[in-house]
Amino acid sequence: MVATSSIPEASATMISDENNKKKLSPLGSAFTKFGMMLFIGMMCLALPVTLFPTWLLYKIQLIGRIRKERWSLRTGEFCSKWLLRLIPFCSIKVKPFQDTESKPSVWVCNHVSSLDIFLLLASDLKARGPNKRPLKIVYWKQLEDNIITKLLFRSCGFIPVQMTANAAGEDNDYDRRSFKNLLKESKKAFVEGFDLGLLPEGQLNPTPHLGLLPCFGGAYTLAKMSKRPIRMMALEGTHRFWHAKNGMDNVTSNKVNMRVYPPCGDGKFKSADEFLTTFESVVGHFGMYGTDIGSTDENDDDNELLNSWLDGSQWQQLKKEKEAAAAAEEEKNDGQK
């Protein structure tokens, strides 16, 4: 896998923007924290009860494994969506992109909070539309230490990868032996009609206001292998009520922004560098500010900078600038010899 560092230097503007976000009052913070704890507790009760009938039908061989995984995914979406409506500890503002005809794809998203998965499940229908394809998400094996996460992920047929336990923000140390199983399960998921969901950062990001953590190019490898386009999603705000390092200790906001982007041209990036640079620029910006790169209005559909990233022209321009700078540096070094 290819890794590249994308955390910019902490500028005064970035830190100021984060500090100037409208914060909850102490009472609002307490209510949000209580609602979040209640939501988590109810999920721990609802998921085993609602997943049991599907598991039982599978065990007595009335349904097959693929149907069991699809039904379990729908159950997870149903529980997340309706519990969030019954216990609205946060509000999610979704800017969707709904395909009229969904194509098999590899989906990528940034990763900020332990609650990301449940908020994505709750909003998936609104975000990706009724024609969305079922997802199999690649996740860290150690998340199975939580019995409820283990139940949901295994029921849905999500794909685990092994990694040394590390704190949020520390370098990932993958067990490369698990990559063989990842490739095998990914190929099987593609054949069985699932899309694949990956988190290129590979872990929770404790500083999303500074940009993404170093990202890995595994999504590009899988997309190239399967000849599928890469589609991008983005989240912003979940760290303000469940932080990667501090948990629920400092609840400052209950607002979440979510974005599903249009296809990037044909979605088939020419290199891992192109994919990573586009992902870091587009999704990284949204993760910092909750708005699209180059946007001056939240309803701005004629965003030239965003469109130039999505159609690949911005990457081509950046690539030419890098090549010109490298050629100039080489010419300078030759002249000094």
Side-chain angles (χ1 to χ4, degrees):
M1 290 187 178
V2 181
T4 179
S5 177
S6 59
I7 301 180
E9 294 183 4
S11 70
T13 302
M14 290 175 182
I15 296 173
S16 176
D17 286 344
E18 179 70 9
N19 292 336
N20 289 335
K21 291 280 186 181
K22 186 177 180 180
K23 295 185 178 181
L24 291 170
S25 66
L27 183 61
S29 177
F31 271 115
T32 299
K33 187 173 182 178
F34 174 76
M36 180 165 39
M37 294 172 66
L38 185 60
F39 173 84
I40 295 168
M42 291 303 295
M43 284 294 292
C44 291
L45 293 174
L47 281 174
V49 172
T50 54
L51 287 170
F52 177 75
T54 300
W55 174 84
L56 182 61
L57 290 172
Y58 173 66
K59 278 298 180 181
I60 61 178
Q61 299 183 355
L62 289 181
I63 61 172
R65 176 185 55 79
I66 298 175
R67 182 167 295 181
K68 186 264 295 185
E69 292 173 350
R70 287 174 179 254
W71 286 7
S72 296
L73 180 60
R74 290 176 187 171
T75 299
E77 292 174 349
F78 177 86
C79 289
S80 300
K81 177 180 178 179
W82 284 100
L83 280 178
L84 194 57
R85 289 188 178 184
L86 292 170
I87 312 169
F89 71 90
C90 71
S91 63
I92 308 176
K93 184 176 182 180
V94 180
K95 188 170 184 180
F97 186 86
Q98 300 183 358
D99 292 303
T100 54
E101 183 180 350
S102 186
K103 297 180 180 179
S105 303
V106 174
W107 290 86
V108 291
C109 186
N110 59 323
H111 193 21
V112 182
S113 165
S114 297
L115 287 180
D116 287 352
I117 178 62
F118 296 107
L119 301 188
L120 286 168
L121 288 175
S123 306
D124 196 32
L125 179 61
K126 183 177 181 180
R128 296 197 298 145
N131 297 315
K132 66 185 179 65
R133 294 166 59 87
L135 275 172
K136 282 199 174 184
I137 297 173
V138 178
Y139 69 96
W140 179 31
K141 177 73 172 176
Q142 194 165 336
L143 292 177
E144 294 183 4
D145 290 349
N146 182 304
I147 190 170
I148 300 301
T149 305
K150 179 180 179 179
L151 174 65
L152 176 62
F153 287 8
R154 286 198 173 185
S155 297
C156 296
F158 290 173
I159 304 171
V161 290
Q162 295 280 7
M163 186 176 74
T164 302
N166 63 335
E170 293 181 355
D171 292 341
N172 293 336
D173 182 14
Y174 289 100
D175 182 351
R176 295 187 177 276
R177 291 173 296 180
S178 67
F179 290 167
K180 184 177 180 180
N181 180 66
L182 169 61
L183 290 173
K184 183 183 77 173
E185 291 299 318
S186 298
K187 289 178 180 178
K188 186 164 70 173
F190 293 147
V191 171
E192 294 171 350
F194 290 87
D195 280 356
L196 211 60
L198 290 95
L199 308 168
E201 293 170 285
Q203 59 171 297
L204 299 174
N205 183 356
T207 55
H209 59 289
L210 301 181
L212 301 180
L213 293 177
C215 293
F216 294 84
Y220 170 76
T221 302
L222 291 172
K224 184 178 180 181
M225 174 192 75
S226 62
K227 298 180 180 179
R228 294 189 171 203
I230 294 177
R231 298 292 303 277
M232 298 190 297
M233 302 175 66
L235 273 171
E236 185 269 342
T238 54
H239 64 293
R240 298 190 185 96
F241 50 79
W242 187 308
H243 193 269
K245 287 187 175 180
N246 304 322
M248 295 183 285
D249 289 348
N250 185 28
V251 178
T252 61
S253 175
N254 58 4
K255 307 294 184 184
V256 177
N257 291 296
M258 185 181 299
R259 175 73 152 110
V260 177
Y261 287 97
C264 301
D266 62 2
K268 296 176 181 178
F269 294 97
K270 303 301 185 294
S271 68
D273 282 344
E274 180 184 359
F275 158 63
L276 289 169
T277 303
T278 303
F279 180 76
E280 291 161 3
S281 299
V282 175
V283 175
H285 185 280
F286 192 94
M288 285 192 284
Y289 304 110
T291 58
D292 289 333
I293 185 171
S295 178
T296 56
D297 187 313
E298 62 182 23
N299 296 315
D300 181 12
D301 293 323
D302 188 23
N303 184 333
E304 291 185 5
L305 182 56
L306 173 62
N307 292 337
S308 68
W309 276 112
L310 296 180
D311 67 20
S313 58
Q314 188 70 21
W315 161 253
Q316 292 298 328
Q317 180 180 337
L318 183 63
K319 184 180 177 182
K320 289 179 181 178
E321 291 174 357
K322 287 182 177 180
E323 290 172 350
E329 183 66 22
E330 184 178 352
E331 184 177 344
K332 178 181 176 182
N333 291 336
D334 289 343
Q336 292 175 349
K337 291 180 180 179

